[in-house]
Amino acid sequence: MERSTGIWTSANIVTCVRVALVPAWLLCAELMGSGDGTALHLPSLAVALLFMALSLTDKLDGYLARSRGEVTTFGKFLDPIADKLVVVVSLCFLLEVGDVSAWVLLVIVAREFLVSGLRMVVASRGTVVAASSLGKWKTATTMVSISGLRLCRALPVGGPCLALATLSRLLLLVAVVLTAWSGADYFAKSWGVISDET
């Protein structure tokens, strides 16, 4: 249930903090570097844990908004932007350090451009295209895989680190597939609107 509460609800404050912490996380990631693989690297562990906290707060602001009846237009606007910032900035960093391929970033960013453009077009025609659960799954899978890759930079070289890296890369591949799938799904649902010239 929605009610008028003003902009500065608890959920929106959490979302604003998430946005502000993204450049702070990137700065920490740049400055902390990674371990030499011989022992647990605590600065890298802190960076990984901070990313996990940023990822988990995605659920917190949504829960607060719904449970307190404080769903706002500002929150609907800012929350998905915060999600995209967390994912894209972290992937840019992983690309910089050689942990992911540029193709991963291309698919994810291209999908966001496509869906954002489609949303503007269908909204201008007075139509709302319901989002599928694919979008939530691709976001969750992406964040889990990034968390694993960040954690690998803190762990000593060995079996557990190799297993985590392999699992994280497999999850990232799944995330890329879900990203492309959810983009195609949204495009298919929007086709009736964007192809109607009447």
Side-chain angles (χ1 to χ4, degrees):
M1 179 179 179
E2 296 188 28
R3 59 187 175 88
S4 178
T5 56
I7 288 180
W8 298 115
T9 65
S10 54
N12 288 348
I13 291 171
V14 170
T15 306
C16 288
V17 169
R18 289 177 67 212
V19 172
L21 283 177
V22 172
W25 175 86
L26 180 60
L27 180 61
C28 289
E30 294 277 3
L31 293 177
M32 296 302 183
S34 58
D36 58 8
T38 60
L40 180 66
H41 189 245
L42 292 179
S44 293
L45 179 61
V47 170
L49 292 176
L50 178 56
F51 177 81
M52 292 176 195
L54 280 173
S55 301
L56 290 173
T57 52
D58 171 39
K59 300 298 181 186
L60 177 61
D61 52 11
Y63 169 77
L64 288 172
R66 290 186 296 272
S67 65
R68 297 165 65 95
E70 295 176 348
V71 178
T72 65
T73 301
F74 180 72
K76 291 177 182 177
F77 159 75
L78 193 61
D79 182 59
I81 290 178
D83 294 341
K84 291 171 179 58
L85 275 175
V86 171
V87 169
V88 172
V89 169
S90 57
L91 283 175
C92 284
F93 175 76
L94 290 176
L95 175 64
E96 180 183 334
V97 298
D99 280 350
V100 300
S101 164
W103 287 101
V104 171
L105 199 59
L106 172 63
V107 171
I108 290 174
V109 172
R111 185 265 184 197
E112 298 305 338
F113 277 123
L114 171 69
V115 172
S116 296
L118 286 172
R119 279 181 177 147
M120 286 190 289
V121 172
V122 298
S124 70
R125 303 295 295 271
T127 303
V128 176
V129 176
S132 71
S133 59
L134 286 172
K136 294 179 180 179
W137 277 106
K138 65 96 181 171
T139 299
T141 308
T142 304
M143 289 183 171
V144 170
S145 64
I146 294 171
S147 296
L149 290 172
R150 283 304 313 163
L151 195 55
C152 285
R153 291 194 151 260
L155 297 176
V157 174
C161 182
L162 179 60
L164 179 59
T166 302
L167 177 60
S168 298
R169 293 184 190 284
L170 284 174
L171 282 175
L172 190 57
L173 178 59
V174 171
V176 170
V177 172
L178 289 175
T179 296
W181 186 5
S182 64
D185 178 67
Y186 200 92
F187 184 82
K189 289 179 178 177
S190 305
W191 180 249
V193 178
I194 63 177
S195 62
D196 182 10
E197 296 298 331
T198 59

